[in-house]
Amino acid sequence: DLSCNTIEDDGAGLLAAALQQQQQHVGLQALVLTGNRITDRGALVLVEACLAHPFMRSLTLNGNRLTETGQQLIRQRLTSSA
């Protein structure tokens, strides 16, 4: 749980890169990033990384700075990957 750590978009990018590097390893299945000032840009990068990670099951982004447009883009990306 990395909630309320002011991760912002730069930190979201670093987390996404780490997830992509660890794709072959079992382990992280859920990532909780509530209240970290992540915007649409950072959220989309995280979603892509989570979709590429075979064991990731849950990404929580409540309380961040997502716009309605960003939420819609995330929904579309998740729907297209199903």
Side-chain angles (χ1 to χ4, degrees):
D1 185 344
L2 296 172
S3 296
C4 301
N5 280 294
T6 318
I7 289 172
E8 300 181 328
D9 289 340
D10 290 339
L14 293 172
L15 284 170
L19 281 173
Q20 290 172 337
Q21 290 176 354
Q22 298 298 320
Q23 288 181 26
Q24 304 304 321
H25 303 289
V26 178
L28 188 65
Q29 295 182 7
L31 188 56
V32 179
L33 296 169
T34 302
N36 275 297
R37 299 181 186 169
I38 298 169
T39 68
D40 297 343
R41 182 174 59 91
L44 289 168
V45 170
L46 284 165
V47 167
E48 290 299 327
C50 287
L51 288 172
H53 195 284
F55 303 103
M56 184 61 66
R57 299 290 175 249
S58 173
L59 173 64
T60 304
L61 294 169
N62 298 339
N64 283 288
R65 295 178 175 174
L66 302 180
T67 66
E68 194 64 38
T69 301
Q71 292 173 35
Q72 183 177 8
L73 289 170
I74 290 168
R75 279 192 295 276
Q76 289 172 352
R77 180 60 186 103
L78 293 172
T79 301
S80 71
S81 72

